[in-house]
Amino acid sequence: MFHCFPSRPFLKFAVLFFGLLLPAMGQEPAATPKEQGAKPKLRFICVSSLADKQEVILASKDDKGNWLELGTVALRSSFITDWLPAKAGELHLALREENTLKSICQFKHPDAARRALVMLIADPQKKVYMANVVDPEKMELAKGSALIVNFSSRPAMVLLGANKLTVTSGQRQVAKPTLESNGMYRMMVAYLNADKKTVPCYDRYIPGNPDSRDMLFLFPDQTLGLKVFSLPMFGELE
């Protein structure tokens, strides 16, 4: 019986191959770019501010109630900040006062969210901010779509081109406008009066933008019924 022995070039290749393979078998797979960027971040959407330009401190508290400063952010009306490092759980916007911090806004970064959008509305009488937090990935807020938030007590009817929807009080919805051939669409906001008649509050013919995520906020208004505030958000969610 004859035995076939591998040639010397083959033996060299085999030694090299297993030499590379064995260390790799003991290593964990490299983190993907998405995993590497999984630390929580947030972005403030400042609808209105307490001052023309106000610098506040983003902070949290430890188990003993001591303040932990995470960074500073400048707020002004109709302004969207860059993405800021954050942490899951309870967070505050605070001002420095007598060698300590005074909270002027309290909110929670969702535990499971990689990113959070924090909508801020100033309360000049109480000198605080009201916060409304959204997980853009959970809401599927893609480019070319609009986030509609109804801060009023009455249901609103919103028309985004041919896309018609009802947004009840306190509700948040994401919808995508249907564009016409020229890239434009009609944005109309209305409500039903006591006689069940449609009362338009806002009616515009505007261009669609496939690169932006639009914010559409609805507020109560004594004259119009509903006041509409819109703000585009550009950039990525990463």
Side-chain angles (χ1 to χ4, degrees):
M1 181 180 294
F2 295 96
H3 296 277
C4 181
F5 293 94
S7 64
R8 293 182 63 87
F10 176 83
L11 287 173
K12 290 182 180 180
F13 173 80
V15 170
L16 177 61
F17 175 79
F18 284 105
L20 295 173
L21 178 61
L22 288 174
M25 291 174 64
Q27 297 175 356
E28 294 182 1
T32 64
K34 189 172 184 179
E35 291 170 341
Q36 291 174 352
K39 292 183 179 180
K41 289 188 177 182
L42 59 78
R43 202 172 193 180
F44 290 107
I45 301 172
C46 190
V47 181
S48 57
S49 62
L50 295 173
D52 291 339
K53 188 175 182 181
Q54 184 180 35
E55 187 170 280
V56 297
I57 300 167
L58 177 63
S60 64
K61 289 185 177 182
D62 62 17
D63 296 337
K64 296 182 180 180
N66 298 315
W67 285 107
L68 301 173
E69 297 187 23
L70 304 178
T72 60
V73 58
L75 300 177
R76 62 178 186 268
S77 296
S78 305
F79 177 67
I80 299 178
T81 69
D82 293 330
W83 288 106
L84 305 170
K87 59 184 296 187
E90 182 181 292
L91 296 173
H92 296 261
L93 288 178
L95 298 176
R96 202 174 303 282
E97 187 176 274
E98 297 180 357
N99 298 323
T100 185
L101 297 182
K102 178 184 176 182
S103 177
I104 57 172
C105 182
Q106 180 179 331
F107 59 95
K108 182 179 180 181
H109 192 295
D111 293 336
R114 296 189 316 113
R115 301 290 183 266
L117 299 176
V118 184
M119 294 164 279
L120 298 175
I121 301 172
D123 185 337
Q125 293 184 342
K126 297 181 180 180
K127 296 183 179 180
V128 297
Y129 287 96
M130 296 177 290
N132 195 305
V133 183
V134 169
D135 180 346
E137 291 181 332
K138 187 175 181 180
M139 294 286 291
E140 298 182 354
L141 182 58
K143 286 185 177 181
S145 62
L147 171 64
I148 307 161
V149 186
N150 188 355
F151 291 102
S152 76
S153 60
R154 65 175 82 207
M157 291 181 296
V158 179
L159 189 69
L160 301 175
N163 193 352
K164 183 178 180 181
L165 59 153
T166 299
V167 186
T168 59
S169 176
Q171 189 179 19
R172 304 177 297 193
Q173 285 195 44
V174 171
K176 192 167 186 178
T178 52
L179 306 183
E180 298 177 9
S181 57
N182 59 1
M184 306 281 287
Y185 71 97
R186 182 187 182 190
M187 178 190 290
M188 193 267 286
V189 177
Y191 70 95
L192 292 178
N193 62 13
D195 299 325
K196 303 297 181 182
K197 292 184 178 180
T198 302
V199 181
C201 309
Y202 183 94
D203 200 345
R204 299 286 189 276
Y205 191 61
I206 61 177
N209 191 333
D211 294 322
S212 75
R213 297 170 174 89
D214 294 333
M215 309 289 148
L216 191 64
F217 304 126
L218 312 179
F219 297 97
D221 186 273
Q222 292 183 350
T223 304
L224 300 174
L226 287 172
K227 183 179 180 180
V228 179
F229 177 86
S230 61
L231 192 64
M233 184 178 75
F234 296 93
E236 303 297 334
L237 295 180
E238 296 301 322

